[in-house]
Amino acid sequence: MKFLGNVLATVVGIFVFLMLFVFGIIIIVTIFSGDTEIVEVKSNSVIELNLEHIKNDYAGKYKDPWMTILSDGEKVGLTDIINAIEKAKTDNDIKGISILNDESSLGIAQRKSLRDALEDFKKSGKFVMAYANSYSQKEYYLNSVANTVYLNPVGDLDFKGLSAEIMFFKDFQDKTGVKMEVIRHGKYKSAVEPFLENKMSDANREQTLALLNAVWSSVTNDISKSRNVSVAKLNEIASGLLARTPEMAKAQKLVDVVAYEDVYHNAIKKALKVDKDDDYNKISVMDYARKVATTSKTLETKDKIAIIYAQGEIKSGEGDVNVIGEGSMRRSLKEAREDKNVKAIVLRINSPGGNALTSDLIWREIELTKKVKPVVVSMGNYAASGGYYIACNANKIFAENSTITGSIGVFGILPNFTQLATKIGLHSEQVKTNENAAEYSPFLPLDEKFKAVTLEGVEHIYKTFVTHVAEGRKMTFAQVDAIAQGRVWAGSEAVKIGLVDKIGSMDDAVHEAAALAKVKKYNTQNYPEFEKDINDILEHLPFAKSKENFIKEELGEETFKIMEQIKRVQSQKGIQAMMPFEITIQ
């Protein structure tokens, strides 16, 4: 036995040594091959706008430098890209921007911000050119800003209007015996509707159509200005699918040139006055953004505007670049509030909402901060439900026309397996000293008294939510309640009903914050800095995600997304202030 024990100890020791060795090699390679490379911008260069790896406005940073080194991702956010484009306007080495077969996961409001930056770049007299083998509708929205739009002769252009599809699980629950018990407030609160019905309610259909129309109006207005095609004509093209082939797209003036990619590159060479037989100088926007971020000069002033990024679903805990956690958010607000050099704060929100308690804790921190210095909100793709909760008490609120906001409502959801348990022969009973001593059990039918108490909690949070909005927006409870009930609004509509102050970009919000603080010269400082430990580092290593990648590969992307949606709903704890449905705009 002692011999076997020694053998086992030796094997374990070797395994641990190998793991530490590999881990050490990864760290050393990362350190010495990471960001030490000097990015050179050659004269007469073109920026290639590849946004494949850009998802968030903010790429994130960490208090622990080791976490910064080992974290995944490109360490570049959309804000860095926009700052780089701003810098490129006055960079004599940059002559233009090329958008070549770009595909990204950016939302409509993010694309709007990027389009505005490209429009401003064109005012310098430098060119923006775009080429694609095929244009999806969302990519065309961005690419249409170019001076010249190219399309492959055997490609296509998707331009047909917007739609949203919602999946319903009521029959699935009946057949499997897995039921989601729902307790909600708000006739528009359709986040839980898929578990209650087999079809869309009239209230949900009403808000969805209104939202899509508002977003589509914003998209077509931007394309109309860039392409000099009327909105009425664009709607005619969309309804009739009149731009589906390259020749049709050119005839409708949605593209300028139908040609292969070599023709596109020759056109860039001509603009740069480079011989056709020579290559022209290119630099990726990621590299250029990194260079700008590390070499940009700061103004000679101590005054700062803090930009605090709130990205993702709202949950308890520390949070990260994809999750709004109370830890990082409250700490960031407190640090910015207590920093004498920070004169105002911009809260950049891109969130569909989440945990109601966490939303309220962040709201309270903003309330404390607002008493010391101005707080201005800038809304991205979403600032809905809990995302609006943490925005409602700001001094000023900015949104894009296509921002999805509002959704002032709350719900509770409890998974119940009673029917399933009965089917497979499982039975459960409770013994208790007092009437309400037992916790909720997913293996027993939902007790009506427990349901009543939970509904009371939902109603209390809803009233608190509406009261916060009423006080923050200087409205009556009745006025907010009339536009609440969980209904979502596009930014263009939200400004009309008082939920938003102005339509504008994050830059507009920063300028407003500076004006409220009465400062003219200032630098910006990004928050949060996340606090992570070794376990978080390990989660970011490639092998930590192998199970997820395997499942995704076996099930396929669409099936995996459905599974993740169900899993996320089942994992939500406590009462939720959450967006009414997931919408992917195509």
Side-chain angles (χ1 to χ4, degrees), residues 82 117 168 175 324 335 356 359 380 396 398 412 425 456 460 480 501 519-520:
I82 291 173
F168 295 86
K175 291 179 179 179
I324 302 171
E335 288 176 2
S359 300
K396 293 286 183 181
F398 285 75
E456 184 180 283
H460 172 69
V480 176
D501 291 298
V519 294
K520 293 184 178 180

CSV table of all heavy atoms in Angstrom, one decimal, residues 82 117 168 175 324 335 356 359 380 396 398 412 425 456 460 480 501 519-520:
chain,number,residue,atom,x,y,z
A,82,ILE,N,-13.4,54.2,-32.2
A,82,ILE,CA,-13.9,55.6,-32.5
A,82,ILE,C,-12.8,56.7,-32.2
A,82,ILE,O,-12.6,57.6,-33.0
A,82,ILE,CB,-15.2,55.9,-31.7
A,82,ILE,CG1,-16.3,54.9,-32.3
A,82,ILE,CG2,-15.6,57.3,-31.9
A,82,ILE,CD1,-17.6,55.0,-31.5
A,117,ALA,N,-18.7,58.6,-36.6
A,117,ALA,CA,-17.3,58.8,-36.6
A,117,ALA,C,-16.7,58.8,-38.0
A,117,ALA,O,-15.8,59.6,-38.4
A,117,ALA,CB,-16.6,57.8,-35.7
A,168,PHE,N,-41.7,30.3,-28.1
A,168,PHE,CA,-42.6,30.1,-26.9
A,168,PHE,C,-42.5,28.6,-26.5
A,168,PHE,O,-42.3,27.7,-27.3
A,168,PHE,CB,-44.0,30.4,-27.3
A,168,PHE,CG,-44.3,31.8,-27.7
A,168,PHE,CD1,-44.0,32.4,-28.9
A,168,PHE,CD2,-44.7,32.7,-26.7
A,168,PHE,CE1,-44.2,33.7,-29.2
A,168,PHE,CE2,-44.9,34.1,-27.0
A,168,PHE,CZ,-44.7,34.5,-28.2
A,175,LYS,N,-45.3,19.1,-22.1
A,175,LYS,CA,-44.9,17.8,-22.6
A,175,LYS,C,-43.8,17.2,-21.7
A,175,LYS,O,-43.7,16.0,-21.5
A,175,LYS,CB,-44.4,17.8,-24.0
A,175,LYS,CG,-45.6,18.1,-25.0
A,175,LYS,CD,-45.0,18.2,-26.5
A,175,LYS,CE,-46.2,18.4,-27.4
A,175,LYS,NZ,-45.7,18.5,-28.8
A,324,ILE,N,-22.6,43.4,-15.5
A,324,ILE,CA,-22.6,44.5,-14.6
A,324,ILE,C,-22.8,44.0,-13.2
A,324,ILE,O,-23.8,43.5,-12.8
A,324,ILE,CB,-23.8,45.5,-15.0
A,324,ILE,CG1,-23.7,46.0,-16.4
A,324,ILE,CG2,-23.8,46.6,-14.0
A,324,ILE,CD1,-24.9,46.7,-16.9
A,335,GLU,N,-15.0,55.6,-6.1
A,335,GLU,CA,-13.7,56.1,-6.4
A,335,GLU,C,-13.8,57.4,-7.2
A,335,GLU,O,-13.1,58.4,-6.9
A,335,GLU,CB,-12.9,55.1,-7.2
A,335,GLU,CG,-12.5,53.9,-6.4
A,335,GLU,CD,-11.8,52.8,-7.3
A,335,GLU,OE1,-11.6,53.0,-8.5
A,335,GLU,OE2,-11.4,51.7,-6.7
A,356,ALA,N,-33.0,42.9,-9.8
A,356,ALA,CA,-33.6,44.1,-9.3
A,356,ALA,C,-32.9,44.7,-8.1
A,356,ALA,O,-32.7,45.9,-8.0
A,356,ALA,CB,-35.1,43.9,-9.0
A,359,SER,N,-29.7,46.3,-9.2
A,359,SER,CA,-30.0,47.6,-9.9
A,359,SER,C,-30.3,48.7,-8.8
A,359,SER,O,-29.8,49.8,-9.0
A,359,SER,CB,-31.3,47.4,-10.7
A,359,SER,OG,-31.0,46.4,-11.7
A,380,GLY,N,-26.4,53.0,-24.9
A,380,GLY,CA,-25.9,52.3,-26.2
A,380,GLY,C,-27.1,51.5,-26.8
A,380,GLY,O,-28.1,52.1,-27.1
A,396,LYS,N,-28.7,64.1,-16.5
A,396,LYS,CA,-29.1,64.1,-17.9
A,396,LYS,C,-29.0,62.7,-18.5
A,396,LYS,O,-28.1,62.0,-18.2
A,396,LYS,CB,-28.3,65.1,-18.8
A,396,LYS,CG,-28.5,66.6,-18.4
A,396,LYS,CD,-29.8,67.1,-18.9
A,396,LYS,CE,-29.9,68.6,-18.6
A,396,LYS,NZ,-31.2,69.2,-19.0
A,398,PHE,N,-28.8,60.7,-22.3
A,398,PHE,CA,-28.7,60.7,-23.7
A,398,PHE,C,-28.9,59.3,-24.3
A,398,PHE,O,-28.5,58.3,-23.6
A,398,PHE,CB,-27.3,61.2,-24.2
A,398,PHE,CG,-27.0,62.7,-24.0
A,398,PHE,CD1,-26.8,63.2,-22.8
A,398,PHE,CD2,-27.0,63.5,-25.1
A,398,PHE,CE1,-26.6,64.6,-22.6
A,398,PHE,CE2,-26.8,64.9,-25.0
A,398,PHE,CZ,-26.6,65.4,-23.7
A,412,GLY,N,-40.8,37.7,-11.2
A,412,GLY,CA,-40.2,36.7,-10.6
A,412,GLY,C,-40.4,35.4,-11.3
A,412,GLY,O,-41.5,35.2,-11.9
A,425,GLY,N,-41.8,9.1,-11.1
A,425,GLY,CA,-41.9,8.4,-9.9
A,425,GLY,C,-41.2,9.0,-8.7
A,425,GLY,O,-40.9,8.3,-7.7
A,456,GLU,N,-46.4,40.2,-3.7
A,456,GLU,CA,-46.3,41.4,-2.9
A,456,GLU,C,-44.9,42.0,-3.1
A,456,GLU,O,-44.8,43.2,-3.2
A,456,GLU,CB,-46.6,41.0,-1.5
A,456,GLU,CG,-46.6,42.2,-0.5
A,456,GLU,CD,-46.9,41.7,0.9
A,456,GLU,OE1,-48.1,41.4,1.2
A,456,GLU,OE2,-45.9,41.6,1.7
A,460,HIS,N,-44.0,45.6,-4.7
A,460,HIS,CA,-43.2,46.5,-3.9
A,460,HIS,C,-42.0,47.1,-4.8
A,460,HIS,O,-41.8,48.3,-4.8
A,460,HIS,CB,-42.7,45.9,-2.7
A,460,HIS,CG,-41.7,46.7,-1.9
A,460,HIS,ND1,-42.1,47.9,-1.3
A,460,HIS,CD2,-40.3,46.6,-1.7
A,460,HIS,CE1,-41.0,48.4,-0.7
A,460,HIS,NE2,-39.9,47.7,-1.0
A,480,VAL,N,-45.5,58.1,-15.0
A,480,VAL,CA,-44.5,57.1,-15.3
A,480,VAL,C,-45.3,55.7,-15.4
A,480,VAL,O,-45.0,55.0,-16.4
A,480,VAL,CB,-43.5,56.9,-14.1
A,480,VAL,CG1,-42.6,55.8,-14.4
A,480,VAL,CG2,-42.7,58.2,-14.0
A,501,ASP,N,-33.5,62.7,-22.2
A,501,ASP,CA,-33.5,64.1,-22.4
A,501,ASP,C,-33.1,64.5,-23.8
A,501,ASP,O,-33.8,65.4,-24.4
A,501,ASP,CB,-32.4,64.7,-21.4
A,501,ASP,CG,-32.8,64.7,-20.0
A,501,ASP,OD1,-33.9,65.3,-19.6
A,501,ASP,OD2,-32.2,64.0,-19.2
A,519,VAL,N,-16.2,72.8,-16.7
A,519,VAL,CA,-14.8,72.7,-17.0
A,519,VAL,C,-14.7,72.6,-18.6
A,519,VAL,O,-15.6,72.1,-19.3
A,519,VAL,CB,-14.2,71.4,-16.4
A,519,VAL,CG1,-14.2,71.4,-14.9
A,519,VAL,CG2,-15.0,70.1,-16.9
A,520,LYS,N,-13.6,73.3,-19.1
A,520,LYS,CA,-13.4,73.3,-20.5
A,520,LYS,C,-12.3,72.4,-21.0
A,520,LYS,O,-12.4,71.9,-22.1
A,520,LYS,CB,-13.2,74.8,-20.9
A,520,LYS,CG,-14.4,75.7,-20.7
A,520,LYS,CD,-14.1,77.1,-21.2
A,520,LYS,CE,-15.3,78.0,-21.1
A,520,LYS,NZ,-15.1,79.4,-21.6
